[in-house]
Amino acid sequence: MGGQPREKLPSPWLPLSSVEDDGRSPSSVLALHDLTRAIQQGDLPALLSCLEHTGVDCSLPQPGGPSPAMLAASLARPELLAALLERGAGCSYREVRTETCGLLALASGDREEGREEEERLCGQLLLVAGESVETCGRQGLSPLMAACRAGRAGLAAWLCQQGAGLDRREGRGWTALMFSVDSGHGQVA
């Protein structure tokens, strides 16, 4: 496991419908792009400047991608997530009968290892913002299942402490334990 590259996990975000026809001006799309770049780079001053000077609505998803807050959660950047949540950003994206939330983005995000403290801080921010550890994404995938699949032992333990159900099953009947073992992360189980 140590030297093998991690398998790229599927994105937890639901596809957006026709972002070209959503009425956004080109300048607002560019401002959202700049905001996204600041989040990806972990640049809090750039994020704050973008929010202050462009008037971008930080609750909207980037065309073809997640909301800024979901992106900050997926990258485990608590200082950026806090700034976005303080300005009204939301993490949930709902489509028909499924929902994707910031905790699922946090558990599924593709980032470097060793960010357990940042993951816990992001999780706490999301719970304070009203998220539930039981919110499921497509096909019933819970944040705990995603954390187990990704081998995030610290985050999985924290989710359990917050009340995540160990016996919950997703659409195929799999539990968090099954995801952990199947993806080669038996130590998380």
Side-chain angles (χ1 to χ4, degrees):
M1 255 23 79
Q4 297 176 351
R6 270 191 16 183
E7 177 185 341
K8 184 95 168 146
L9 298 175
S11 171
W13 302 297
L14 301 173
L16 297 175
S17 59
S18 187
V19 293
E20 295 80 26
D21 298 326
D22 68 358
R24 294 184 208 178
S25 69
S27 62
S28 69
V29 172
L30 285 174
L32 195 52
H33 175 74
D34 290 343
L35 183 68
T36 300
R37 187 175 12 177
I39 295 167
Q40 290 170 333
Q41 295 173 349
D43 190 343
L44 183 60
L47 176 123
L48 295 174
S49 176
C50 187
L51 290 173
E52 183 180 326
H53 298 331
T54 65
V56 65
D57 184 351
C58 62
S59 66
L60 295 174
Q62 177 176 340
S67 72
M70 285 182 77
L71 180 59
S74 75
L75 296 172
R77 300 203 186 277
E79 65 286 349
L80 303 179
L81 180 58
L84 289 163
L85 291 173
E86 286 170 6
R87 287 158 180 80
C91 278
S92 291
Y93 178 74
R94 191 178 205 87
E95 184 175 290
V96 190
R97 289 176 293 169
T98 58
E99 184 172 341
T100 299
C101 67
L103 285 171
L104 189 55
L106 174 63
S108 301
D110 187 24
R111 60 185 168 273
E112 67 274 4
E113 298 299 319
R115 296 187 53 90
E116 289 82 10
E117 180 63 17
E118 290 89 349
E119 290 172 349
R120 187 182 60 73
L121 290 171
C122 283
Q124 288 173 336
L125 288 167
L126 292 167
L127 289 179
V128 167
E131 295 233 355
S132 166
V133 294
E134 292 298 328
T135 300
C136 292
R138 289 182 279 182
Q139 317 229 330
L141 186 73
S142 72
L144 179 59
M145 292 172 195
C148 288
R149 180 178 65 185
R152 300 192 192 296
L155 183 58
W158 182 82
L159 287 165
C160 288
Q161 291 170 354
Q162 303 308 309
L166 291 171
D167 57 349
R168 178 179 216 109
R169 294 182 180 271
E170 50 84 76
R172 297 174 298 171
W174 283 38
T175 64
L177 173 64
M178 295 165 122
F179 275 106
S180 176
V181 171
D182 183 67
S183 60
H185 301 294
Q187 77 282 4
V188 177

